[in-house]
Amino acid sequence: MALPPVVFLVTSTLSGINLGIRHILPIFPFLIVLAALSASRLSSRSRLAFVAILFVILGHAVSSIRAYPNYLTYSNEIVGGPQNTHRVMTDSNVDWGQGLIQASTYLSENRISDCWFAYIIPGVDLAKYRIPCRRLPSGLAYRYGVSSPDPPPVVNGTILVSANETAGQSWGPGELNPYQQFFARKPDDIIANSILVFHGSFDISPAAAAVHSIQSRRLIRRHDVGEALQEAQIAAQLAPYSAEMQAVLCQAMLQSHEPGAEQVCQNALALARRVYPDYQLRWMPGVKAIAQTHSQASPEWEISA
């Protein structure tokens, strides 16, 4: 009973795929049987062990009931319970669209109609769930060039942020994530253990910059270099220390033959080398090539996943 989960776990670990606990689900039936066998033998040998095992089983039952109905985000109390799952896990282990109906109910019960929502899945129509919030850019939308509404650099009022957005799942770690501030801050409320609620005034300039960078890249593909340059300049102004925004400006300036383009390209590469370089350079081979060769940008390259 011990051999199959060990073999499967080792094989999975060496595979290089890391997309959540679902990739090792086959180990659990074996572990459950082993745990049951161990509990049975221990409880038959010692009354103290029997009482301890009984408390463990009852504790697990209570923990499970408390998690209802949000089992996707379940974590036991050792790591803080379901409300803290988003601090230790991400992706489909936390938020996979299951909290939208509860978000709609929360907003209705609290009479909130003026709000913002940074939600992980760009293709979801929030209006169908009766969620009145204006949409903020998501990491997936940015990486795949999906258009988003143009938010102001500062938003006021109520803002809902998907747990995956606060973790930077698609944006990147640390300052690469425009919603990093929400991960570090205790939420005013939490919906379905996966959507964090905040009230106040928040500077989201990096997220606003991402929208303008998408527009610039799209305009470059249409060979509308004049407007592309304007959008890239806005993006760079909103997020001056972002390597990706500088890289978009680099591309737009090269396409429109603006003076100083090579220096902007060098700045983009320098930022990428300094701020989480292992993560950034994978997105910007074109910038690296341009900065090293000082050549005209070719139409084939652009910043994308």
Side-chain angles (χ1 to χ4, degrees):
M1 295 301 295
L3 186 59
V6 169
V7 171
F8 194 88
L9 185 61
V10 171
T11 304
S12 300
T13 303
L14 297 176
S15 71
I17 298 175
N18 184 8
L19 295 174
I21 199 170
R22 61 185 180 270
H23 288 284
I24 59 169
L25 287 180
I27 74 173
F28 290 105
F30 298 97
L31 297 181
I32 290 169
V33 171
L34 284 170
L37 177 62
S38 300
S40 175
R41 289 185 176 178
L42 284 172
S43 61
S44 65
R45 295 175 183 176
S46 166
R47 182 173 295 274
L48 181 62
F50 173 80
V51 173
I53 291 168
L54 182 62
F55 271 106
V56 169
I57 293 173
L58 291 175
H60 179 67
V62 171
S63 178
S64 178
I65 292 170
R66 288 181 60 199
Y68 175 84
N70 302 302
Y71 287 117
L72 183 64
T73 58
Y74 177 78
S75 292
N76 62 33
E77 283 63 29
I78 294 175
V79 294
Q83 287 198 331
N84 287 290
T85 299
H86 69 278
R87 304 200 64 83
V88 293
M89 292 192 288
T90 186
D91 197 57
S92 56
N93 299 310
V94 181
D95 188 2
W96 214 238
Q98 80 281 2
L100 292 177
I101 293 176
Q102 292 179 63
S104 176
T105 302
Y106 173 89
L107 294 170
S108 176
E109 290 178 347
N110 289 275
R111 298 181 180 180
I112 298 172
S113 58
D114 184 13
C115 51
W116 300 85
F117 198 170
Y119 191 61
I120 178 176
I121 305 174
V124 171
D125 184 357
L126 298 178
K128 289 184 178 180
Y129 291 88
R130 297 181 181 179
I131 295 176
C133 303
R134 287 161 285 181
R135 193 136 197 172
L136 293 173
S138 73
L140 282 175
Y142 177 60
R143 289 301 171 197
Y144 291 101
V146 178
S147 295
S148 301
D150 184 9
V154 177
V155 296
N156 300 291
T158 300
I159 179 170
L160 280 62
V161 189
S162 165
N164 287 340
E165 292 298 298
T166 67
Q169 177 189 350
S170 297
W171 296 100
E175 61 199 87
L176 300 183
N177 177 17
Y179 301 115
Q180 179 193 16
Q181 60 180 307
F182 299 109
F183 185 82
R185 173 174 174 164
K186 182 180 179 180
D188 297 314
D189 213 338
I190 186 167
I191 302 169
N193 302 325
S194 61
I195 299 172
L196 281 60
V197 182
F198 303 89
H199 306 291
S201 180
F202 305 97
D203 185 342
I204 59 163
S205 298
V211 175
H212 290 283
S213 74
I214 290 174
Q215 285 292 94
S216 179
R217 288 151 52 187
R218 184 167 294 172
L219 289 165
I220 287 174
R221 289 195 294 269
R222 297 176 184 172
H223 305 289
D224 191 345
V225 294
E227 287 193 29
L229 179 60
Q230 292 178 10
E231 292 289 335
Q233 288 171 335
I234 295 173
Q237 290 169 2
L238 289 170
Y241 301 108
S242 166
E244 294 196 38
M245 300 309 127
Q246 291 295 321
V248 170
L249 181 58
C250 152
Q251 183 181 12
M253 291 180 70
L254 285 168
Q255 291 287 343
S256 57
H257 306 285
E258 286 287 315
E262 293 178 357
Q263 182 58 51
V264 174
C265 296
Q266 291 285 358
N267 291 341
L269 185 59
L271 283 168
R273 285 172 170 165
R274 187 170 71 248
V275 183
Y276 297 101
D278 291 342
Y279 192 94
Q280 294 212 58
L281 289 180
R282 63 182 288 201
W283 304 107
M284 296 194 295
V287 179
K288 185 175 182 180
I290 291 170
Q292 288 177 343
T293 63
H294 303 281
S295 63
Q296 181 79 4
S298 65
E300 288 79 17
W301 81 269
E302 68 171 79
I303 308 154
S304 61

